[in-house]
Amino acid sequence: MIRAINRQVSSVRKNAMKQQESKAVTGVSPDNSPEGAGVQVLEQCPVWWDEYPGKNRSFYQCSLWGQYLKESKGCRTFYCYSESDGKIKGTLLAYLMPIESPLAKIFKLNKLYWHQGPLLADTADFDTANALLAALFNAAGGPLLVNGSSPYIDQKEVGELYPGLSEKFKLKMNKWATFLVDLTGGDEKVWLNLLPDARRLVSRMRESGYEVRFIGRNDLATYLDLLQRYRKSAGLAMPPFYPTNELLDQLDDDAVLLPGVYIDDRLCAVSPVLFHGDTCTFFAAAQEPGLTGRERSVSYLLHWSIMEAACRCKIKSYDLAGVAPAPATAKEEGIKRFKGKWGGRYLEYPVLDGGVGIMGRCLDILRLIFRKTIK
């Protein structure tokens, strides 16, 4: 799987080198950037992008993610980097996602996202992080609502810069969390690290005839139908990122796997898994609405099957992303308790959120008042 992703990255890089060098949207040194630091913001990916900082780059800071967002989702992408004396000091990939509501369209309000960034040569370099965000906000225009998270695995020290960035740009700083499961000891060791309750439920599901099969492209429509029904029953909109033929075309089939739980040839649940570098994570999971009794334990069998497959592929960690540090509802408490059963290391990381500039902050207040209108 890892070799497949690396081949795809190499292919993207070679194709990019055949094109004309990216045209800068803005090449600025903002007033609050350090002297001598040049910051560029491009809407096309630079040919060297995936080479910095090498294997430690998060998937969500890779050219593959930017290419998918632009070509399949129609998003404006921004490749930001700071350079000084011929050396890259930091990078950040972000994208604009329109907010689908009448009020947002009237004010031309967009949401600006980035995941697990910026990446810095010096993880304590506040000036570079500040300059990257300033240039990004300038290039994206406004008004903007921002949602961005720090790199919590390979560059967790960057998260320590977030309080200062929050104060500088008058953004809110919230906490989010994950459990990171160490897979380096192999499936037998991982199994022993599970809480007894998790091991019992996995075994019970298998003894009851539930089995895991990996879904292929021919069954994507079945997964999509299940995802739509699950999200609708939970009162949730469709996620912005879920497996499609377009995504698989860009990432390679082996980079995204779709394990599904079946009973009597009936699909009960699916949990897509993204493999990148030394880690893997699940996303856009779905299960049959209204499951009762022992069927509600299908997620236990799914997650254990994911970890078994990852161990066989020599993946080092499994990221159970999506945990509220201080659960405010019974649902959030249940999610945190469930994800804590897999023997993972609990990690918190900061998230920047809110409006940029006076107009953005005013609209953010309206968003909180009329959340259902412009969310």
Side-chain angles (χ1 to χ4, degrees):
M1 295 176 186
I2 301 305
R3 286 194 297 270
I5 297 176
N6 289 338
R7 287 197 304 270
Q8 187 67 13
V9 170
S10 177
S11 176
V12 170
R13 187 180 299 125
K14 289 178 180 178
N15 289 337
M17 292 179 70
K18 295 177 182 178
Q19 300 173 357
Q20 185 176 3
E21 181 66 37
S22 304
K23 181 178 180 181
V25 177
T26 178
V28 298
S29 292
D31 292 338
N32 52 1
S33 68
E35 184 178 355
V39 180
Q40 293 282 335
V41 182
L42 314 176
E43 290 200 27
Q44 299 294 328
C45 182
V47 296
W48 51 264
W49 187 261
D50 291 317
E51 297 173 3
Y52 174 88
K55 66 177 182 179
N56 291 328
R57 177 175 292 278
S58 160
F59 167 75
Y60 298 106
Q61 290 295 313
C62 277
S63 62
L64 291 173
W65 174 238
Q67 182 178 342
Y68 166 75
L69 291 168
K70 184 173 184 177
E71 296 184 1
S72 298
K73 295 294 184 179
C75 299
R76 284 183 68 193
T77 52
F78 301 95
Y79 296 84
C80 315
Y81 67 94
S82 174
E83 183 178 10
S84 180
D85 299 325
K87 296 181 179 180
I88 300 298
K89 300 183 66 177
T91 63
L92 177 64
L93 170 58
Y95 63 97
L96 275 180
M97 182 74 74
I99 300 175
E100 296 297 333
S101 76
L103 186 57
K105 290 179 179 178
I106 290 174
F107 290 99
K108 297 181 179 180
L109 178 66
N110 291 297
K111 197 148 192 180
L112 182 67
Y113 290 91
W114 70 85
H115 309 288
Q116 301 175 6
L119 301 176
L120 303 175
D122 176 2
T123 55
D125 187 353
F126 177 84
D127 286 339
T128 293
N130 174 55
L132 286 168
L133 291 190
L136 171 63
F137 298 157
N138 180 57
L144 297 170
L145 297 181
V146 165
N147 185 269
S149 63
S150 69
Y152 55 86
I153 297 176
D154 293 310
Q155 293 201 337
K156 60 181 182 298
E157 297 86 358
V158 174
E160 298 174 5
L161 305 180
Y162 265 48
L165 295 171
S166 170
E167 181 178 357
K168 184 70 178 181
F169 296 104
K170 295 181 172 59
L171 297 170
K172 293 172 288 185
M173 193 186 80
N174 302 310
K175 287 284 188 178
W176 204 237
T178 186
F179 286 94
L180 195 67
V181 182
D182 183 359
L183 304 177
T184 56
D187 55 1
E188 291 185 5
K189 182 177 180 180
V190 174
W191 175 258
L192 293 176
N193 286 337
L194 306 187
L195 293 188
D197 181 49
R199 294 200 300 267
R200 178 178 59 83
L201 290 171
V202 170
S203 299
R204 188 177 73 175
M205 295 300 291
R206 284 179 169 169
E207 292 168 359
S208 300
Y210 292 84
E211 61 175 333
V212 173
R213 306 175 194 167
F214 289 93
I215 296 173
R217 287 187 182 235
N218 293 337
D219 297 313
L220 274 180
T222 304
Y223 158 72
L224 180 59
D225 174 69
L226 181 63
L227 180 64
Q228 290 172 332
R229 289 189 289 110
Y230 170 70
R231 303 285 292 194
K232 183 177 180 180
S233 70
L236 301 171
M238 287 291 283
F241 179 50
Y242 54 88
T244 61
N245 280 312
E246 293 81 7
L247 178 66
L248 297 181
D249 286 341
Q250 293 185 26
L251 294 185
D252 193 280
D253 289 348
D254 289 337
V256 178
L257 299 183
L258 284 83
V261 174
Y262 289 81
I263 181 70
D264 298 327
D265 287 328
R266 177 172 63 90
L267 181 62
C268 297
V270 181
S271 186
V273 188
L274 173 68
F275 291 84
H276 179 72
D278 293 330
T279 192
C280 63
T281 188
F282 78 99
F283 65 105
Q287 66 181 35
E288 187 67 42
L291 292 180
T292 59
R294 65 181 55 189
E295 286 187 338
R296 290 182 298 179
S297 301
V298 293
S299 294
Y300 286 89
L301 183 55
L302 263 180
H303 284 286
W304 173 243
S305 298
I306 290 169
M307 287 190 281
E308 278 189 311
C311 286
R312 288 195 297 268
C313 296
K314 307 301 181 184
I315 299 297
K316 293 183 178 180
S317 61
Y318 179 40
D319 180 3
L320 288 158
V323 176
T329 65
K331 180 178 180 181
E332 289 181 349
E333 178 63 40
I335 291 172
K336 186 176 183 180
R337 186 168 56 251
F338 170 77
K339 293 184 177 182
K341 294 181 178 182
W342 301 96
R345 180 164 53 101
Y346 179 72
L347 296 170
E348 291 187 0
Y349 55 95
V351 176
L352 294 179
D353 191 21
V356 176
I358 296 176
M359 178 63 76
R361 288 192 286 275
C362 289
L363 291 174
D364 187 37
I365 294 173
L366 289 177
R367 178 178 69 96
L368 296 176
I369 297 174
F370 304 106
R371 182 178 293 274
K372 291 184 179 179
T373 304
I374 65 170
K375 186 176 179 180

